[in-house]
Amino acid sequence: MKSYTEYLYFNTKQKREYIRITDEVAKLVEKSGVKEGLVLVSAMHITASVYVNDWENGLIQDIDEWLEKLAPVNPDYRHHQTGEDNGDAHLKRMILGHQVTLPITKGNLDLGPWEQVFYAEFDGQRKKRVLIKIIGD
Amino acid sequence: MKSYTEYLYFNTKQKREYIRITDEVAKLVEKSGVKEGLVLVSAMHITASVYVNDWENGLIQDIDEWLEKLAPVNPDYRHHQTGEDNGDAHLKRMILGHQVTLPITKGNLDLGPWEQVFYAEFDGQRKKRVLIKIIGD
Amino acid sequence: MKSYTEYLYFNTKQKREYIRITDEVAKLVEKSGVKEGLVLVSAMHITASVYVNDWENGLIQDIDEWLEKLAPVNPDYRHHQTGEDNGDAHLKRMILGHQVTLPITKGNLDLGPWEQVFYAEFDGQRKKRVLIKIIGD
């Protein structure tokens, strides 16, 4: 079994951002030499998500507004009694999920035609990390 | 390490449908010959989910009504400015998730007594695909 | 490829509980001898979650109140026509998700500084099980 590990770093300008990372992941799959296997793409911070959905700006705005409705910015989270102000980010990240596992088939990411991998930042403007772990043969 | 890849195809009669696929996945695990490993079951379209929950019709209706409350059909999604009309399907699929990873132990799917795998279609009436990727020994 | 499988058991005092299991998972990774690979941590019951987020009591209460808002206890679920009373638990578990896949790098769980693994029980006071499946080299 082969394995290959890499980290992607992000430091977003906005508090909330949605960044397509499909190409970065695909390049690492190629670099790993794995022909059949799995890639884990996982946010290492607890106020960020990794998800798969459409690469379409209208939808990305829809997702952002929808998350804000389901898990709004709000001063009253109990978590804020610790001095933090990012309670909403901890909740938003649960809706989209914090990781995806992508299949590798014949040496390539085996994605459907519209599947795109995104890093979603909910508490940005500081350095964050995503782990890429590839295993297979 | 062994690997085995297969695709399941769906073309639902309804716009939204919930289809149990546990048996199909179990058969592919048997076919793969893998005794210890993992199966990734992942929707390849971005308006569908794969999830694990109860095989009980009342609950399936509860899930459907609940998703409609959290991510309703609505003409006003920005995504619809592209000519699409499935904004709600892109959001519903985020709640249930688009993939599961199932354990294989001693040659069988290692599921709890009520765990059932479902394909959830939110924008059907056309051909859709689910990837099954099995890796292990 | 090495593999190692273990089950964790829970029987919570409360109906709903959030239990940190990072240390238990880390010990099993050590015991497995796997240096590079993946750990699947998956609830085997359909009214429980496994998720990664902050180990902070205020946030845990925020999560609990938030789940109760999004998927409330309610006598009217159709699922209850079967005699069950845990419809909300089946829905709450979908929001947090029922499994995570954790990376193993150089023999250790490769988690960010605040990443903690939790078992979330939504229908407790009876025996429940979580599967830990480790694969790698």
Side-chain angles (χ1 to χ4, degrees):
Chain A
M1 201 200 77
K2 281 181 193 168
S3 68
Y4 182 82
T5 306
E6 194 77 69
Y7 306 88
L8 302 179
Y9 293 87
F10 301 90
N11 194 336
T12 61
K13 283 190 183 153
Q14 312 296 324
K15 193 98 174 167
R16 302 215 297 266
E17 270 187 41
Y18 301 81
I19 300 164
R20 195 177 72 97
I21 59 172
T22 318
D23 297 344
E24 286 79 355
V25 178
K27 269 175 219 155
L28 293 172
V29 167
E30 200 180 338
K31 203 170 160 190
S32 75
V34 168
K35 299 300 177 200
E36 295 290 329
L38 301 175
V39 198
L40 175 66
V41 184
S42 193
M44 301 188 81
H45 294 258
I46 52 187
T47 50
S49 286
V50 172
Y51 72 96
V52 168
N53 214 316
D54 206 358
W55 184 25
E56 196 279 300
N57 279 335
L59 182 72
I60 290 170
Q61 277 185 272
D62 289 331
I63 289 173
D64 188 67
E65 289 171 16
W66 177 66
L67 291 175
E68 182 54 27
K69 208 159 57 182
L70 293 184
V73 172
N74 182 339
D76 297 336
Y77 291 115
R78 291 166 197 272
H79 184 49
H80 297 174
Q81 293 171 18
T82 63
E84 294 283 355
D85 65 354
N86 59 4
D88 71 296
H90 286 281
L91 302 183
K92 286 181 172 89
R93 95 84 156 239
M94 302 306 300
I95 303 224
L96 298 195
H98 86 284
Q99 60 181 200
V100 298
T101 302
L102 306 175
I104 304 168
T105 306
K106 297 178 187 164
N108 293 303
L109 274 187
D110 193 355
L111 299 177
W114 300 281
E115 283 192 285
Q116 297 281 348
V117 191
F118 284 88
Y119 173 72
E121 177 62 80
F122 301 119
D123 188 24
Q125 300 167 329
R126 44 180 164 158
K127 204 177 176 189
K128 300 281 197 87
R129 204 156 51 124
V130 166
L131 171 138
I132 316 281
K133 169 81 69 175
I134 300 168
I135 67 165
D137 265 348
Chain B
M1 199 202 77
K2 281 180 192 167
S3 68
Y4 182 83
T5 307
E6 193 77 71
Y7 305 89
L8 303 177
Y9 293 87
F10 301 90
N11 194 336
T12 61
K13 283 189 183 152
Q14 312 296 324
K15 194 99 175 166
R16 301 215 297 266
E17 270 188 40
Y18 301 81
I19 300 165
R20 195 178 71 97
I21 58 172
T22 317
D23 298 344
E24 286 79 357
V25 178
K27 270 175 218 155
L28 293 173
V29 167
E30 200 181 336
K31 202 170 160 191
S32 75
V34 167
K35 299 301 175 200
E36 294 291 329
L38 301 175
V39 198
L40 174 67
V41 185
S42 191
M44 300 188 81
H45 293 259
I46 51 188
T47 50
S49 285
V50 171
Y51 72 95
V52 168
N53 213 317
D54 206 357
W55 185 25
E56 197 278 299
N57 279 334
L59 182 72
I60 290 170
Q61 278 185 270
D62 289 331
I63 290 173
D64 188 68
E65 289 172 16
W66 177 66
L67 291 175
E68 181 56 26
K69 209 160 56 182
L70 293 184
V73 173
N74 182 338
D76 298 336
Y77 290 116
R78 290 167 196 272
H79 184 49
H80 296 174
Q81 293 170 17
T82 63
E84 294 283 354
D85 65 354
N86 59 6
D88 71 296
H90 286 280
L91 302 183
K92 285 181 172 89
R93 94 85 156 240
M94 301 307 299
I95 304 225
L96 297 195
H98 86 282
Q99 59 181 201
V100 298
T101 302
L102 307 175
I104 304 169
T105 306
K106 297 177 186 165
N108 293 301
L109 275 187
D110 193 356
L111 299 177
W114 301 281
E115 283 191 286
Q116 296 281 350
V117 191
F118 284 87
Y119 173 72
E121 177 63 80
F122 301 119
D123 188 24
Q125 301 168 327
R126 44 179 164 158
K127 203 175 177 190
K128 299 282 196 87
R129 204 156 52 122
V130 165
L131 171 139
I132 316 281
K133 169 82 70 175
I134 300 168
I135 68 164
D137 265 348
Chain C
M1 200 199 78
K2 280 181 192 167
S3 69
Y4 182 82
T5 307
E6 194 75 71
Y7 305 89
L8 302 179
Y9 293 88
F10 301 91
N11 194 336
T12 60
K13 283 189 183 151
Q14 312 296 323
K15 194 99 174 167
R16 301 215 298 267
E17 270 188 38
Y18 301 81
I19 300 165
R20 194 179 72 97
I21 59 173
T22 318
D23 297 343
E24 286 80 353
V25 177
K27 270 176 218 154
L28 293 172
V29 167
E30 200 180 339
K31 203 171 160 189
S32 75
V34 168
K35 299 301 176 199
E36 294 291 327
L38 301 175
V39 198
L40 175 67
V41 184
S42 192
M44 300 188 81
H45 294 258
I46 52 188
T47 50
S49 285
V50 172
Y51 72 95
V52 168
N53 213 317
D54 206 358
W55 184 24
E56 195 279 299
N57 280 335
L59 182 72
I60 290 170
Q61 277 185 271
D62 289 330
I63 289 174
D64 188 68
E65 289 171 16
W66 177 67
L67 291 176
E68 181 56 25
K69 209 161 56 182
L70 292 184
V73 173
N74 182 341
D76 298 335
Y77 291 115
R78 291 166 196 272
H79 184 49
H80 296 173
Q81 294 170 18
T82 63
E84 294 283 356
D85 65 354
N86 59 6
D88 71 297
H90 286 281
L91 302 183
K92 285 182 172 87
R93 95 84 156 239
M94 302 306 300
I95 304 225
L96 297 195
H98 85 284
Q99 59 181 201
V100 297
T101 301
L102 306 175
I104 304 168
T105 305
K106 296 178 188 167
N108 293 301
L109 275 187
D110 192 356
L111 299 177
W114 300 282
E115 282 192 285
Q116 296 281 349
V117 191
F118 284 88
Y119 173 72
E121 177 62 81
F122 302 120
D123 187 25
Q125 300 168 328
R126 44 180 164 156
K127 203 177 178 189
K128 299 282 197 86
R129 205 157 50 123
V130 165
L131 171 137
I132 316 281
K133 169 82 70 176
I134 300 168
I135 67 165
D137 264 347

